[in-house]
Amino acid sequence: MVTSIILARACLARDANLAVPSPCTSVCRMDDASGWCAGCFRSIEEITNWSRMAPPEQRVVWGLIEQRAKQPTIS
């Protein structure tokens, strides 16, 4: 369920005409195996820097999130 939400939001993040949405899904729990949040697939560094990133940087992170969400071992 979280993965489908993230992938849908990733599509919005690719649109340069729209504001970049936050990846946060309010499921804030770090996965020990991957090092990513189980809800948004971001690292601690990406989470803490998000609000200071420019939109192009945020879109780069969204690309990484999309790749991570598609990995079979991450849910």
Side-chain angles (χ1 to χ4, degrees), residues 3-69:
T3 301
S4 60
I5 292 168
I6 284 292
L7 292 175
R9 290 168 113 186
C11 290
L12 295 174
R14 286 193 296 265
D15 189 335
N17 296 316
L18 298 175
V20 182
S22 171
C24 183
T25 60
S26 298
V27 178
C28 304
R29 182 175 31 91
M30 297 308 290
D31 179 79
D32 291 333
S34 68
W36 304 320
C37 173
C40 68
F41 301 98
R42 290 182 290 173
S43 68
I44 287 288
E45 182 179 348
E46 292 163 345
I47 292 167
T48 57
N49 292 327
W50 182 261
S51 63
R52 293 184 298 276
M53 290 179 182
E57 294 171 295
Q58 291 174 333
R59 286 188 172 86
V60 168
V61 173
W62 263 112
L64 296 171
I65 291 167
E66 192 170 12
Q67 291 173 10
R68 294 167 185 164

